[in-house]
Amino acid sequence: MKYRKFGRTGWNVSEVGYGMWGMGEWSGSDDKQSLESLQRSIDLGCNFFDTAWAYGDGHSEPLLGKILRANRGKTLYTATKVPPKNREWPSKREFKLDDCYPPEYIEEYIEKSLQNLGVETIDLIQTHTWEDRWLNDERLPRAIEKMKKSGKVRTFGPSVNRWEPYNGMRAVLEGHAEAVQVIYNIFDQNPEDALFPVCRMKEAAVIARVPFDEGTLTGTLTLDSQWPASDWRNTYFVPENLKSSVAHAEALRPLIPAGSTMAETALRFILSNPDVSTIIPGMRKLRNVEANVAAGKAGPLPLDLHKKLRAHRWDRNPTTWSQ
Ligand SMILES: NC(=O)c1ccc[n+]([C@@H]2O[C@H](COP(=O)([O-])OP(=O)(O)OC[C@H]3O[C@@H](n4cnc5c(N)ncnc54)[C@H](OP(=O)(O)O)[C@@H]3O)[C@@H](O)[C@H]2O)c1
């Protein structure tokens, strides 16, 4: 495993971190399998874990708590998120701070997460949605300052809304955020335009999430892909999105080197950008943990392939199904 600087925090985080949404609530999750996969990732050098209270309404966080207790003495970084009070993803421009993150509500959820995780301090607390405009309400900067001083959290960062990387830049520029979590992958390259330069300038860490576009960039989706009724992916891969997602994945298939996979190429594409501190692929299966750590070891892509893949940038706008 290789490690990178996590912004200005002084932490060295694994290039391949761990996304814990799937194991919280996607269909087909099995806690025993998830715990084995988490343990394997630690044995292979992963030290950065991203969860959220909302992942199974408190189901994912205790899994992380268990694995932290089983690995006492190791330096493992815990990132979690406060869910929006109105439980609305994505955030909408008209939402006010009081609709989503009133200060006393943030404090309440920090307590809930501390309890779920069984820790005294959370390394990174994130808001699960974000509007830079909320910073106009001075209660928010004060709340961020207060939570860091309390010793209950070490750092703060927004998890910015899907396809809105610009809506998070102010949190970084004004120094409130030590880290920002953003979608960045072969398709979603737009954080490079302005967010990454700002993070570089302010030494804010970048957590690259959704490296496989929720599955598209594993190359396993087809026009017939379906999930059990309760699975969130049905609401993302609505027919119009499934069709265009499959078409975009098929268009880059000829570029995948012999002996590699689309998933490996997708991770190595992200690793090619030094602005990224850590990638958090969602993983529940042991074989995916092992494959993704191996992709990290393989490192950045050859320049010519990276250049060809850059042409597969796919700019999208937020929609009702893009939560
Ligand atoms: N608003 C937010 O803050 C927000 C939103 C979305 C995601 N996130 C965070 O970002 C993380 C990553 O996003 P995600 O999990 O939604 O999507 P993702 O990482 O783009 O895709 C996850 C899917 O890829 C599969 N997979 C993983 N490695 C693979 C491999 N090597 N080959 C084939 N398939 C592979 C996983 O399978 P298995 O699970 O079966 O192993 C899972 O089905 C989340 O877990 C979460 O921590 C945050």
Side-chain angles (χ1 to χ4, degrees), residues 275-289:
D275 287 330
V276 170
S277 313
T278 185
I279 311 176
I280 49 166
M283 311 182 271
R284 293 171 297 176
K285 300 187 183 73
L286 213 55
R287 68 163 185 270
N288 287 342
V289 169

Side-chain angles (χ1 to χ4, degrees), residues 1-287:
M1 179 63 73
K2 294 183 201 138
Y3 297 82
R4 293 189 184 190
K5 252 175 52 173
F6 195 73
R8 57 184 185 266
T9 61
W11 311 345
N12 278 316
V13 295
S14 51
E15 286 184 335
V16 178
Y18 208 117
M20 297 184 60
W21 180 16
M23 69 176 67
E25 61 186 11
W26 291 14
S27 60
S29 292
D30 167 344
D31 287 354
K32 187 168 167 284
Q33 181 191 50
S34 301
L35 286 166
E36 280 168 11
S37 297
L38 282 165
Q39 184 59 52
R40 182 78 181 126
S41 80
I42 292 171
D43 296 343
L44 293 172
C46 280
N47 70 0
F48 187 87
F49 299 85
D50 178 71
T51 182
W53 184 89
Y55 296 163
D57 288 354
H59 188 87
S60 175
E61 285 180 334
L63 293 175
L64 182 53
K66 247 187 198 170
I67 217 73
L68 294 176
R69 284 189 291 284
N71 290 274
R72 278 186 212 284
K74 293 187 185 140
T75 304
L76 303 174
Y77 295 101
T78 305
T80 192
K81 311 183 195 82
V82 178
K85 188 175 179 194
N86 62 3
R87 298 294 190 268
E88 290 265 3
W89 283 268
S91 171
K92 295 198 181 76
R93 291 306 86 84
E94 65 267 28
F95 291 168
K96 298 194 174 60
L97 184 65
D98 282 318
D99 297 325
C100 300
Y101 303 100
E104 58 288 355
Y105 167 86
I106 296 179
E107 286 180 20
E108 180 190 332
Y109 270 80
I110 288 174
E111 292 299 338
K112 282 187 204 271
S113 291
L114 285 168
Q115 216 164 13
N116 276 342
L117 292 161
V119 297
E120 284 174 13
T121 308
I122 294 164
D123 294 304
L124 172 66
I125 192 79
Q126 303 159 99
T127 51
H128 211 148
T129 56
W130 184 253
E131 297 293 337
D132 264 341
R133 191 179 31 77
W134 288 332
L135 289 166
N136 291 342
D137 186 329
E138 64 177 26
R139 291 175 303 154
L140 181 57
R142 273 205 221 120
I144 295 171
E145 218 32 58
K146 187 176 166 198
M147 64 171 110
K148 289 181 201 168
K149 282 200 179 125
S150 73
K152 292 178 181 173
V153 309
R154 294 170 77 190
T155 59
F156 167 78
S159 185
V160 303
N161 311 324
R162 192 183 297 270
W163 303 331
E164 293 180 14
Y166 47 84
N167 189 1
M169 281 168 43
R170 183 173 161 195
V172 175
L173 275 169
E174 292 183 359
H176 305 297
E178 282 83 8
V180 63
Q181 182 177 138
V182 65
I183 296 185
Y184 179 59
N185 57 45
I186 294 173
F187 297 151
D188 298 297
Q189 298 175 33
N190 51 359
E192 291 176 9
D193 301 347
L195 179 64
F196 286 178
V198 161
C199 289
R200 208 181 305 141
M201 183 172 76
K202 299 299 288 186
E203 274 196 286
V206 169
I207 303 166
R209 79 166 188 256
V210 191
F212 306 125
D213 185 39
E214 313 291 6
T216 316
L217 285 164
T218 62
T220 55
L221 297 194
T222 69
L223 292 177
D224 300 320
S225 291
Q226 278 183 347
W227 295 269
S230 60
D231 195 297
W232 169 85
R233 284 167 290 186
N234 287 310
T235 66
Y236 180 67
F237 291 113
V238 293
E240 74 198 273
N241 189 32
L242 183 62
K243 202 168 161 215
S244 47
S245 297
V246 169
H248 278 84
E250 291 310 315
L252 55 86
R253 201 179 287 284
L255 292 175
I256 308 306
S260 183
T261 61
M262 196 180 291
E264 185 196 67
T265 305
L267 289 182
R268 293 181 65 194
F269 176 88
I270 300 168
L271 281 175
S272 301
N273 191 328
D275 287 330
V276 170
S277 313
T278 185
I279 311 176
I280 49 166
M283 311 182 271
R284 293 171 297 176
K285 300 187 183 73
L286 213 55
R287 68 163 185 270

